[in-house]
Amino acid sequence: MQNENKRIARNTLLLYIRMIAMVIISLYTSRIVLKVLGEEDFGIYNVVGGIISFLGFLTSSLAGAASRFITYALGKEDNNNLKKTFNNIILIHLLFAGLILIVGETIGLWFIKTQLNIPPEREYAAMWVYQMSVFTAMGGLICAPFNSVIIAHEKMSTFAYLSLSYAILKLVSVFILLNINYDKLIFYSIYIFIIQVFDFALYIIYCKYNFEETKRIILTKIDKNLFKEIFFFAGWTMSGSLAYFGFTQGLNILLNIFFNPIINAARGIAVQVQNIVNTFNNNFLMAINPQITKKYAAGDYSRVKELIITSSRFSLYLMLLICIPLFLEVNLVLSWWLGKYPQHTDSFLRLILITSILSCLANPIITTVHATGRMKKFQLIESSILLTIVPIAYFCLKLNTSMPEIVFIIHICIEIIAQCARLKIVLPMINMTIKEYTSAVMKKIIIVILLAPILPIIIYYNTEQNFLSFISICITSTISILFCIYTLGLDQHEKNTIKEVINKKIYHRQKNRS
């Protein structure tokens, strides 16, 4: 267990180093892209590209299935089954890539041309954005199994380096955008497609050279029973992914229908910040999720429980460290980053940050149900709950079209209901009671959430908003959150572990000095 914890810590550190570099690049490129494209074109890029990303629920669900079955096979230590699993996964992904092409060039194309609110003079550029999005989605689907193999083998250093290559190439697009006379929206969509294809190729080449199961793919030799098992698992995860993409892109489309592309630009900026914030949580979970699946495959349910409790609490604590100062100083951060930004961006971002905090509790539970393979009941109930977000938001907007924030408030409320349902379904699968989970996770995090922001809020409302106040809020937030976590948010074993680590560090330093 100690070696596993060290591996998780090492992989998490590597992913955070990758993330810091990517965040810096992303913040800079987003600022310049918004400035160069303008609010209207930036909004068009987000809403039109978002239509085909709605079909990304296929990529998300199939990637989840691929990751689960590959990691499960690794946990069973069965190389022959691992090779068969990968072959079946590749065939399924190729079939669905064809489906994306068919749906994208029929229903999706009709929707773009007839339903969206796009200025007539930008329709041609919007079509370029859409077509590039279709081909990117297909490439992402074909590449997803190779990505899953890297993560399942816990080769996080490689994953970090390959991800950085895409971020660096995206940074290059900024300098080109500033110096071309061609339609910048069209150029940007084509360029992003090209560098994503290059990124996909790097993943595939690396896997071909390093993992035995990917070296020889024979699509004619398919295990029908395994194909069926993976296909039906993917089908059930697909309903969950469909619900997620349904309400995220559904809300984006509703904002376009009831308002205009500038509101989509505000949401697009808020979502970009959310994606950056979520990488902190996702990096931690990416390091720990393979362990949950492998331990379940090995029948070590007590370790699975421990991983769920640890990942739920610590991912949320980590998110609080980022979200509390950002929530308070959102206007200052946006003005530093973008200068001028669309109206409603600040309120959208604050509400979206709350959903990010809630997702910290959902992710370990979803990983666990994937590990069990018992998806039907879970996905039917979770998807049904989440899909109510769009119709409820539609009726609320019909009643009051002056408050676009209502769609995000509805999302928060429905997400809380969905999490209650997840716990009720999944915890019995690993012999864990609601009482155990509440005691180990909920009681501790609620206390931390309620008490940690008090001091930063007092400082925020009693100081002028400037660089010094931002620094003071960041410092006091960190101190307040860490104090609350250590005194109220950890169990005694975790406190003792931290003390041991600190004492060892002090001992080694004193020994080295002497």
Side-chain angles (χ1 to χ4, degrees), residues 7-21:
R7 190 187 310 122
I8 291 170
R10 183 176 64 252
N11 287 336
T12 303
L13 178 62
L14 287 167
L15 290 169
Y16 277 123
I17 293 170
R18 156 202 176 252
M19 179 209 62
I20 290 167

Side-chain angles (χ1 to χ4, degrees), residues 248-446:
T248 53
Q249 293 308 320
L251 294 181
N252 201 21
I253 291 167
L254 284 181
L255 291 173
N256 180 267
I257 292 170
F258 281 92
F259 300 96
N260 53 56
I262 293 175
I263 290 292
N264 293 117
R267 179 192 173 275
I269 293 166
V271 169
Q272 282 192 353
V273 178
Q274 180 195 31
N275 290 338
I276 291 169
V277 169
N278 283 346
T279 56
F280 287 84
N281 181 42
N282 293 340
N283 286 332
F284 175 71
L285 293 173
M286 196 182 295
I288 206 169
N289 284 349
Q291 285 293 318
I292 293 177
T293 304
K294 287 174 183 177
K295 291 303 169 187
Y296 184 86
D300 189 353
Y301 297 151
S302 61
R303 178 61 174 160
V304 173
K305 288 182 189 180
E306 184 182 332
L307 289 168
I308 289 172
I309 292 167
T310 302
S311 58
S312 297
R313 283 200 277 117
F314 280 86
S315 62
L316 187 137
Y317 295 156
L318 180 63
M319 191 65 78
L320 288 179
L321 283 167
I322 305 156
C323 287
I324 289 177
L326 182 56
F327 189 96
L328 293 173
E329 295 285 11
V330 62
N331 295 97
L332 202 60
V333 171
L334 287 172
S335 62
W336 286 343
W337 174 32
L338 301 172
K340 183 183 176 183
Y341 53 87
Q343 189 181 5
H344 298 286
T345 305
D346 53 343
S347 56
F348 285 3
L349 180 52
R350 283 193 171 106
L351 292 168
I352 284 175
L353 288 176
I354 295 173
T355 64
S356 292
I357 293 170
L358 293 174
S359 71
C360 294
L361 300 176
N363 289 330
I365 300 300
I366 293 170
T367 300
T368 303
V369 78
H370 284 186
T372 68
R374 289 178 275 173
M375 301 292 296
K376 184 177 179 180
K377 181 181 178 182
F378 176 85
Q379 291 296 179
L380 281 173
I381 294 174
E382 185 201 42
S383 302
S384 299
I385 293 170
L386 292 177
L387 283 173
T388 61
I389 294 173
V390 174
I392 293 172
Y394 174 81
F395 285 114
C396 289
L397 287 174
K398 274 284 190 181
L399 293 172
N400 181 7
T401 56
S402 63
M403 186 181 171
E405 288 81 3
I406 190 68
V407 301
F408 301 103
I409 295 170
I410 291 164
H411 180 189
I412 292 167
C413 295
I414 299 297
E415 180 60 40
I416 292 170
I417 296 169
Q419 179 62 9
C420 294
R422 292 185 193 111
L423 294 175
K424 189 169 179 60
I425 297 165
V426 177
L427 294 185
M429 295 181 183
I430 54 168
N431 301 320
M432 189 177 191
T433 64
I434 295 287
K435 186 177 179 181
E436 282 181 274
Y437 181 86
T438 302
S439 176
V441 179
M442 296 306 299
K443 282 184 180 178
K444 295 183 183 301
I445 65 170
I446 288 172

Side-chain angles (χ1 to χ4, degrees), residues 22 26 98 112 119 134-135 144 162 195 224 227 259 279 292 298 313 335 359 373 400-401 485-486 514:
M22 292 186 71
S26 179
I112 290 287
V134 170
F135 293 123
L162 292 175
I195 63 173
K224 291 183 180 178
F227 181 93
F259 300 96
T279 56
I292 293 177
R313 283 200 277 117
S335 62
S359 71
N400 181 7
T401 56
I485 289 171
Y486 184 78
S514 60

